[in-house]
Amino acid sequence: MQNNNADMKKQEREQVVELGSDITKSEKGNIYTLTIIGQVEGHQVLPENCKTTKYEHVLPLLAGIEESDEIDGLLLLLNTVGGDIEAGLAIAEMIAGMRKPTVSLVLGGGHSIGIPLAVCTKKSFITPTASMTVHPVRMTGLVVGAPQTFRYFQRIQEQIADFVTSNSKISRADFEHYMMATGEMATDVGTILYGKEAVSSGLIDKLGGLNDALTALHKMIDRSEKNKRNGN
């Protein structure tokens, strides 16, 4: 029995180091905390000096959280500059499709593809000092200068806009306006929204910190448990 406990503690420590995740167990419920930090890494491996969130680690982890009888809810902490579009949307779609209670908290930044990740949970929070950058799809490296390429970018932007507006209270017109604004950033197109602005725009549900996010998650877990007991 002692060996099993030691193995479990070792595994939990490894999860914190490797994935930036942790399980908190209390009378209010068992919460899995997952961080989305640095750049969301996709099909290409980023340099070792970059902090990354690897989607091939996160996707099976989310499936395990959804199926686990020992986890009652997910707390998603975000401080990301964005990254690979397909990888970020894949993670966001996984979380949006979960039945378990989910809450996100934007700390520092939830930029670019971090926006779908911030709104994919059932409730979203942002701290007053955190910021979110809304901008058009961009690509680095060799790009074929053909109409098909621009149409591809346009279709990706439409998919992102569809996801964000269906998982938040922001209107499509406002989101696209923020995305294409020219007077906000000196060297780029787009808009930077800080805490209160992100909430007033409808992009994020509420302004708050860790305690607010955990309180909301505990309430959702409590409602979920009551529904289970009532057979709903």
Side-chain angles (χ1 to χ4, degrees):
M1 187 68 177
Q2 290 180 349
N3 289 336
N4 289 337
N5 291 335
D7 290 341
M8 288 178 64
K9 289 181 179 179
K10 182 180 179 182
Q11 185 177 1
E12 289 175 0
R13 287 196 298 269
E14 289 176 350
Q15 284 186 332
V16 173
V17 173
E18 295 295 327
L19 301 175
S21 61
D22 190 25
I23 301 175
T24 304
K25 299 180 180 180
S26 69
E27 294 179 354
K28 298 178 181 178
N30 300 336
I31 295 174
Y32 197 104
T33 302
L34 178 65
T35 58
I36 304 293
I37 55 95
Q39 292 190 56
V40 178
E41 188 178 87
H43 305 302
Q44 295 182 344
V45 178
L46 294 173
E48 291 184 359
N49 60 343
C50 293
K51 286 188 178 295
T52 62
T53 298
K54 300 179 184 296
Y55 82 105
E56 70 269 24
H57 292 171
V58 176
L59 295 184
L61 184 64
L62 291 172
I65 292 170
E66 176 73 348
E67 284 294 293
S68 175
D69 293 329
E70 297 180 356
I71 298 173
D72 301 307
L74 172 68
L75 175 64
L76 190 68
L77 303 179
L78 290 107
N79 186 12
T80 176
V81 295
D84 187 277
I85 294 171
E86 290 183 353
L89 281 176
I91 296 171
E93 289 281 13
M94 284 278 286
I95 297 173
M98 294 177 69
R99 294 181 62 187
K100 287 188 176 177
T102 56
V103 171
S104 66
L105 175 60
V106 181
L107 301 156
H111 306 295
S112 190
I113 201 61
I115 293 173
L117 289 164
V119 305
C120 69
T121 53
K122 294 177 175 61
K123 196 94 173 179
S124 60
F125 288 82
I126 187 171
T127 59
T129 58
S131 60
M132 306 179 77
T133 304
V134 188
H135 63 71
V137 172
R138 298 176 298 195
M139 184 175 289
T140 58
L142 181 64
V143 177
V144 178
Q148 291 88 339
T149 301
F150 295 104
R151 176 57 182 157
Y152 172 68
F153 284 175
Q154 185 180 13
R155 292 183 68 183
I156 293 177
Q157 285 183 186
E158 290 172 356
Q159 294 296 324
I160 293 172
D162 286 343
F163 184 88
V164 171
T165 53
S166 64
N167 286 277
S168 69
K169 298 182 182 71
I170 194 170
S171 69
R172 190 182 184 92
D174 284 345
F175 185 72
E176 290 181 346
H177 170 74
Y178 288 138
M179 185 183 288
M180 304 306 296
T182 57
E184 291 287 326
M185 293 183 282
T187 60
D188 201 357
V189 176
T191 305
I192 300 175
L193 299 174
Y194 289 91
K196 289 182 180 179
E197 297 170 312
V199 174
S200 62
S201 71
L203 189 59
I204 299 297
D205 292 326
K206 287 190 175 183
L207 196 71
L210 180 60
N211 181 61
D212 301 298
L214 286 171
T215 299
L217 187 54
H218 286 143
K219 288 181 179 178
M220 292 169 65
I221 291 171
D222 185 55
R223 285 196 299 269
S224 178
E225 290 299 320
K226 286 180 179 178
N227 289 334
K228 287 180 182 178
R229 288 195 294 269
N230 293 334
N232 296 332

